[in-house]
Structure formats: C-alpha cells, structure tokens
Amino acid sequence: MATGLEGVQDALLAIAQGQTKLISAVESISQRVSSLENDKTRETSSKSNREAPSPATTPLVSGYVQTPPLLQADAGTMSPSSPPADITKSNFSNRVVLTTYPKQIGINPLPMEWGAADPVKRGPVAVIRSGSTIRRRNAIGAHGGSYSVYYALALAAKELDPDHKPDFTNTEPAVNIGPFPQWGDPKKIVAMDPWGHQVPWIFKDLMDKEGVDLRPTIAITKAHMKLPELEESVKAGRLVPDGKICLNSSGELAVTKFAVEPVWYLPGVAERFGIDEGTLRRSLFEHTGGMYPELITRSDIKVFLPPIGGLTVYCFGDPARMSDPSKKLALRIHDECNGSDVFCSDICTCRPYLIFGIEEAVKEAQNGGSGVVIYFRKEGRALGEVTKVLPYDETQTMLTPPYAEEPVVVYNARKRGADLASDYFKRTENIAGVKDMRFQALMPDILHWLGITKIDRMLSMSNMKHDAIVGQGIPIIERVELPESWIPADSRVEIDAKINAGMFLSYLLSPVFPRNKGRMTDEVSFM
C-alpha cells in the first residue's frame, strides 16, 4: 500500500515539475514576444513621428487612444495604439501578476528557517521579482525600505535595466562582527536579517548556479564624522584629540558605520506587540493601500521587507568592544528629527541630545570602552513630518548648534494656542489620534545583533526605550539625562510634557510645570 502511495506521490511530483518547466517556457516565449512587440512599436512610432498627427484621435494614457465620436455602445472603451511621440513605451509585459498562492504551480520558495544558527540552514531572504527569482521568493515587500518606490520609478522611466544585478566586488564589510548567540534566537531578532551583511558571500553558489538575485540588507564601512559643535567641544576641553578616535582640534571623529534595512519576521513581530499574526498581516495590507496582497494570500511566507526607514549605527572605538562585557558601554538611541538634527530648530532637544550622546560615546571609547549612537528613521515620533509640523509653528528660531529643533502641523496648533507643557500631547492626539507611534518594541533587535549584553551608561531619559531594552534582557546600569545647560529655552515645554506623561525620568520635572510655556507664533525670541 505504501508503495502505491509513493508511486502516486512520485507521479504528482513529476507532473508538478513538468508544469513548472512548461510555465517557465511559456513565460520565456511571452517575454520574447513582448520584446518583439516593443521593437515593432518603436519602429511604428518612429515612422509616425515623421508624419502629421491624425486629428481623429485624442491621446489618453500610454498605449491607448480614444476615437471620437463615441457611439453609445462604444462609450468607455479604449483601443491599443502607439504611444504619443513624447511618451516612452512601457517595457512591461501585458501579463500582470497581482498575487500568488501557496503550492501554486511553478512557485518554489527558497527554504527559510528563521532563527537557525547556521546561515545556510536559515536560508537567504529572497524578495526580488526578476525573472530568475520571482518563483523562488520567500519574502514579501522590496529592498530599500521607503526608497523602494524610487526603484520602481527608475524601472518605469527606463533609467534602470530590470535585469541588472549588482557587482559586489570589494564591497565586503569593513569590519567583522559576530556571529553572536542572539543571531540564532528567533525571539531576540525579529526586525532585521542578522546575516544581511554577508549575503553575497554566504550564498554565492546559489546566486551563481541558479541565477537567484539576492541583496544585502546591512552594509558596514569606516568613515569620518565632522560636526561644528565638536570643534567647540574640543575648545571647551570636553573632548581631547587622541589621533585615533578624536582625530584633531576640529573635533573630527573616526567612526565605524552600520546601515541596516528593516526585515521583519512576521510571527516574531506579532508576538512583540501581543497580537496574532493574522491581525498584523491584515492591518499591514489594508493600511498600506493594499500594496502587498501576498500578506493575505501567502501565509507560508513569514518574512516582510516593509516600506519604512531603517537605522544607522555609529560606533566609536574598536567595534569588538561593543560585545565585550568587561568593557564599559555608553549608548545613545536616537530617533530622527529632521528639523532639529539637521536644521537646528530650537523647539526640542533632539540635536542637543544627539551631540551630547556623541560626545559621551567618544569619551567612553577613549577611556577603553565602547561608545555607540544608533539613529532610527522615525521622524516626528513616527507620525511623519507633516503631522508633526501641524501642531507647531513656522516661526521657530533656527539657532546655531547645539540649540535648536523643527516646525510642523502639531507645532502650528501649539504655537497658536497657549503652548503649555500640560497640553503638549493633547495637541498631538487631537491631530494624529495618538501621542507616539515609535513603539520601541523592535528597537532592541539591533543591540542583540551587535552582541550587546549590558549598557553601562544609557544616554537617554526615555522610559519607553529603557523598558524595551530591559524587557529584552539587557540590563542598564546608569541613565544619563541631558544637562540643563544643553536645553534650549523654548524646548523646556517638551521636556516637562514628556516627564509629566511618564515618558521621561520624573525627577527632572521643572518646578514651574504645568505653567511652563513656549514661544508663540508672533514672538521672534523666547519670552
């Protein structure tokens, strides 16, 4: 009986393999036909460019024309035609694949065992939709995070060859890191690929032999950092040039930089937020405009590359010291604030705390320990810059570093009202419906990846960050607040509001809270 069942299974497998080959052959022929059609279209278009345009047709969108007058029976119909002379013909085939399904004929995803300690057993993350890879995908989404849309635009505009594959010659990581035990724990890392920096080398045979297009999601390099405040730090004696970390009197720093794209293991992400995987998938599908139907149709695919910003790690000193428990570690976790971090607006303490964090990280590294600053792309508490600016005001003073932050919708509402610390988050909630969407639940993953097992000096007042890190089993010995002298006058409202909301260390609350008030729209300087 068993032999009979095995024979049936073998026959079904042979049929499936035959159908897969047939589908691949049909698709290859289809692509060739489409290519020939495009060549013919270009010839026709070139010929028509030399002739006078016909007044009987009205161009609509590329590849279609509407022919007036329309009879009632013909209303709303379109017929294919050559594109206008100034429109580039699409290089896409006529067949659009909206989604795929598990066990669909021709679908053969690469094995993925998230959390396996051996990278080959774990398997690569395959998400590219090129002809050689689309049937082997084991991940949903696209590389590049929020920049994946520009990739699509480059393909549509024919600025990028859809068959292009990167040449990874001389792109190896500038320093070695790991592997650490945390890389093989599916509970520790759920928001990034721990093997993402070694993809082209670990899976080279697979890429060469099967033509599968795999890309790194982590890059590591060495760089120099120059910020105007750091020169002042040297002049004030807070930083001392040593020629190794602080290179000279201008405060130029040597740094190791790690750039990381998000890669989500959906079951693990759902568990972190205390929700079921189905709820997570449906919310991600529905509230991204249905961008990724496979979140619903491909329950067998557990990995998702979301269209969001990633993070960057800046390590001062020997990177090996980050994971050495015998060395002291100073850490700043910093969430993006374009107005303050880049343009020095004075409505918050973001840039001052960033500079302070860098200073302290450098000092710890010079003392024989390790200094780390991790920069997350979570603009406006992950609400986005437009929402952030609405409650603020456009007249913020753009001060010389290190005293400044940024305008926005919440900012406008604040600055046209009383701008009291007691009402700070009420303005945000009125517009966004929530105080903060950073959530921090996924933030500790990068610490696990770096091999960090304890933090001696946490350069942050945030309870959310502290609780997320400690909740992941990483102890914090000391929390270091931003010195009062670093706080711009107009940002005192923000500090007190966050303390009152339970987000910051409570003992730092201003004695004048809740009467502490920020600058109004019509005030040029702080009153």
Side-chain angles (χ1 to χ4, degrees):
M1 185 68 178
T3 304
L5 285 175
E6 289 175 358
V8 171
Q9 289 174 339
D10 289 343
L12 290 173
L13 179 60
I15 291 171
Q17 290 174 340
Q19 288 177 323
T20 299
K21 291 179 181 178
L22 178 61
I23 289 173
S24 296
V26 170
E27 189 169 85
S28 177
I29 294 171
S30 176
Q31 290 174 347
R32 178 57 180 159
V33 170
S34 179
S35 175
L36 292 172
E37 287 177 347
N38 287 342
D39 291 342
K40 184 177 179 181
T41 299
R42 281 191 289 270
E43 290 176 7
T44 304
S45 176
S46 176
K47 181 179 179 181
S48 64
N49 286 344
R50 297 191 295 267
E51 300 173 357
S54 171
T57 59
T58 304
L60 292 177
V61 293
S62 177
Y64 294 92
V65 296
Q66 179 174 298
T67 305
L70 284 174
L71 299 178
Q72 187 63 34
D74 297 329
T77 63
M78 292 182 178
S79 56
S81 174
S82 300
D86 59 341
I87 298 296
T88 301
K89 172 70 175 177
S90 168
N91 57 359
F92 294 108
S93 68
N94 294 329
R95 182 167 172 261
V96 178
V97 178
L98 294 178
T99 191
T100 58
Y101 300 89
K103 298 182 180 179
Q104 182 178 339
I105 294 174
I107 298 298
N108 183 26
L110 293 169
M112 167 60 66
E113 187 180 334
W114 193 270
D118 179 356
V120 176
K121 183 180 180 183
R122 201 296 301 272
V125 173
V127 74
I128 299 290
R129 295 179 64 88
S130 63
S132 63
T133 309
I134 189 168
R135 299 183 185 282
R136 309 305 312 276
R137 289 179 309 126
N138 58 13
I140 302 163
H143 284 292
S146 58
Y147 294 99
S148 59
V149 175
Y150 289 101
Y151 178 85
L153 183 59
L155 287 173
K158 293 189 175 181
E159 295 292 332
L160 177 63
D161 183 348
D163 295 322
H164 171 76
K165 289 186 179 180
D167 178 357
F168 294 111
T169 304
N170 292 329
T171 63
E172 294 87 352
V175 299
N176 294 322
I177 185 165
F180 300 110
Q182 298 93 314
W183 293 16
D185 187 338
K187 302 283 187 181
K188 297 289 187 184
I189 299 179
V190 301
M192 59 180 291
D193 178 6
W195 304 100
H197 58 308
Q198 296 181 353
V199 168
W201 303 280
I202 292 177
F203 303 106
K204 188 177 187 304
D205 284 349
L206 178 65
M207 295 168 69
D208 290 344
K209 293 177 181 178
E210 297 191 29
V212 178
D213 191 350
L214 304 174
R215 310 281 175 98
T217 56
I218 302 173
I220 307 173
T221 190
K222 292 185 176 182
H224 285 191
M225 177 185 293
K226 292 188 73 173
L227 295 168
E229 294 93 333
L230 298 179
E231 185 172 1
E232 294 300 318
S233 301
V234 172
K235 289 179 180 178
R238 296 193 302 270
L239 285 185
V240 179
D242 60 0
K244 296 180 180 179
I245 300 172
C246 184
L247 301 176
N248 49 47
S249 61
S250 68
E252 186 174 358
L253 305 177
V255 63
T256 304
K257 181 178 177 180
F258 306 76
V260 182
E261 286 182 7
V263 178
W264 287 4
Y265 177 59
L266 292 171
V269 172
E271 184 178 353
R272 290 276 181 94
F273 285 93
I275 58 179
D276 64 89
E277 184 186 340
T279 298
L280 174 64
R281 285 173 174 268
R282 180 165 181 173
S283 187
L284 289 172
F285 168 70
E286 292 190 356
H287 299 290
T288 56
M291 284 178 69
Y292 304 104
E294 286 172 322
L295 285 167
I296 303 300
T297 65
R298 294 296 301 274
S299 59
D300 60 315
I301 294 182
K302 302 296 184 181
V303 177
F304 176 47
L305 277 63
I308 60 174
L311 65 90
T312 308
V313 177
Y314 297 90
C315 173
F316 303 96
D318 184 355
R321 294 177 183 170
M322 290 187 288
S323 59
D324 186 344
S326 70
K327 306 294 184 183
K328 283 191 173 184
L329 173 72
L331 173 70
R332 168 68 184 165
I333 301 288
H334 191 92
D335 293 326
E336 177 184 23
C337 176
N338 184 62
S340 179
D341 296 342
V342 179
F343 294 104
C344 304
S345 166
D346 70 338
I347 203 170
C348 74
T349 57
C350 295
R351 183 174 176 110
Y353 223 145
L354 178 60
I355 300 300
F356 176 73
I358 291 171
E359 275 195 17
E360 294 301 307
V362 169
K363 284 190 257 187
E364 196 65 69
Q366 289 180 321
N367 288 334
S370 179
V372 179
V373 174
I374 305 178
Y375 195 91
F376 284 84
R377 271 65 178 194
K378 296 180 182 178
E379 175 63 55
R381 293 182 232 127
L383 299 170
E385 194 166 16
V386 171
T387 298
K388 173 182 173 184
V389 175
L390 283 173
Y392 291 68
D393 149 64
E394 68 279 2
T395 64
Q396 301 163 57
T397 304
M398 312 305 279
L399 297 177
T400 303
Y403 304 105
E405 211 253 287
E406 118 195 40
V408 218
V409 171
V410 172
Y411 290 10
N412 285 341
R414 276 180 51 197
K415 293 301 184 177
R416 288 165 181 158
D419 196 22
L420 296 172
S422 55
D423 296 333
Y424 179 90
F425 284 110
K426 205 175 294 182
R427 288 303 195 182
T428 303
E429 288 183 282
N430 286 345
I431 292 164
V434 64
K435 294 177 183 177
D436 195 322
M437 289 202 303
R438 288 173 293 178
F439 297 121
Q440 306 301 350
L442 305 177
M443 174 267 292
D445 286 33
I446 185 61
L447 305 181
H448 289 313
W449 184 74
L450 293 169
I452 292 172
T453 55
K454 54 95 180 168
I455 299 166
D456 296 274
R457 304 182 71 232
M458 178 72 176
L459 307 165
S460 170
M461 297 184 285
S462 170
N463 290 331
M464 291 175 65
K465 294 174 183 176
H466 170 275
D467 295 346
I469 292 170
V470 173
Q472 277 289 303
I474 302 174
I476 295 174
I477 311 304
E478 178 188 6
R479 298 169 71 180
V480 182
E481 70 273 11
L482 182 66
E484 188 73 30
S485 61
W486 287 70
I487 301 175
D490 199 41
S491 67
R492 184 75 238 187
V493 172
E494 174 218 23
I495 294 289
D496 283 353
K498 289 182 176 180
I499 294 170
N500 183 59
M503 297 172 69
F504 272 19
L505 295 172
S506 59
Y507 65 82
L508 297 168
L509 188 64
S510 168
V512 299
F513 179 88
R515 300 186 310 279
N516 199 5
K517 180 180 177 182
R519 185 179 62 247
M520 294 294 96
T521 298
D522 56 356
E523 294 176 310
V524 176
S525 60
F526 184 82
M527 300 298 290

